[in-house]
Amino acid sequence: EEYETGGSQKWDDYMQACQAFLDCGLPNFIEERLDLLSFPAFIYEALKDNARSWPLKPHSDVLDAIFDSTKMKAMASFQDLYVGLEPYRNDNEIGGGIFKTTSPAVFGLLAAIELHPTNEKCGVFAPVGGFETVTKALQALANDVGVTIECSKTITSITHDGVHIQNTSGSSDTSESNSAFIPADLIIVNADLPYAKR
């Protein structure tokens, strides 16, 4: 109720739809195990209120129909970034962009995995020793196969052939002499998609 009038009930309704998407999506599409009993709730939630939560709409269309608050919309869609998609409709693309970089509303099931209060199947887990242990283990594996990891560098642009970098280790020098191009056969970008597309 802090962010919008009726927000608590709207959130519960949204989570109910997300839970139905998860209950059907997990066995039938992720585990590839036919579960016919999960389809009625999925279909009901998808078609309820004139298909307000239709799972193949851009996620933002569904959120705009349910919530008024941008904070509620953000809370319901930040999980889209986990899979490298953005929740926003792209009117320049077919289907609002769901065939490219826009998350379809069905990815609301990710919110149910993390946030639904009665979900006994999933949840949020953390590595023993904290997330730093994952970083250190990945660094060790990379070093073992000859990968060079460069820190204190800012990527200023990415091309199909490599990356332009700027040395940022304590320097405010933005001159060309402080910049370099590193050629690459493969570039992996781990930044959130909306930020990386800038």
Side-chain angles (χ1 to χ4, degrees):
E1 300 305 314
E2 184 176 329
Y3 298 123
E4 67 180 79
T5 303
S8 177
Q9 184 59 53
K10 291 176 184 179
W11 181 260
D12 289 346
D13 291 345
Y14 176 70
M15 280 291 108
Q16 185 172 329
C18 292
Q19 187 65 43
F21 295 166
L22 176 64
D23 288 344
C24 185
L26 184 64
N28 292 294
F29 303 107
I30 297 169
E31 296 173 347
E32 297 179 352
R33 174 180 51 84
L34 185 61
D35 180 4
L36 294 176
L37 296 177
S38 65
F39 279 96
F42 176 88
I43 294 167
Y44 173 76
E45 290 297 333
L47 296 177
K48 178 171 84 172
D49 297 326
N50 296 316
R52 177 182 73 177
S53 296
W54 183 251
L56 297 180
K57 286 182 183 178
H59 203 173
S60 61
D61 287 7
V62 171
L63 299 177
D64 289 344
I66 297 172
F67 301 111
D68 298 318
S69 161
T70 55
K71 289 186 178 185
M72 295 289 282
K73 293 174 191 179
M75 189 165 57
S77 64
F78 72 89
Q79 297 88 355
D80 294 344
L81 299 173
Y82 297 171
V83 292
L85 298 173
E86 54 191 23
Y88 311 110
R89 163 180 275 286
N90 182 341
D91 288 324
N92 297 321
E93 298 288 342
I94 295 171
I98 63 166
F99 299 109
K100 294 212 173 181
T101 60
T102 298
S103 173
V106 73
F107 279 98
L109 65 83
L110 296 171
I113 289 173
E114 288 192 335
L115 304 171
H116 197 280
T118 62
N119 185 355
E120 296 176 6
K121 297 179 199 163
C122 303
V124 179
F125 300 92
V128 174
F131 283 98
E132 184 180 21
T133 58
V134 175
T135 302
K136 287 180 178 178
L138 185 58
Q139 180 181 10
L141 288 170
N143 289 338
D144 287 348
V145 295
V147 172
T148 302
I149 298 174
E150 295 198 31
C151 300
S152 300
K153 307 271 192 268
T154 298
I155 306 265
T156 56
S157 68
I158 300 171
T159 69
H160 292 291
D161 302 324
V163 295
H164 294 271
I165 63 165
Q166 189 147 32
N167 189 347
T168 55
S169 57
S171 172
S172 60
D173 179 10
T174 59
S175 68
E176 212 171 288
S177 63
N178 201 26
S179 301
F181 177 77
I182 300 174
D185 296 325
L186 174 66
I187 301 164
I188 300 171
V189 178
N190 192 33
D192 288 341
L193 183 65
Y195 176 81
K197 286 177 60 178
R198 282 198 244 157

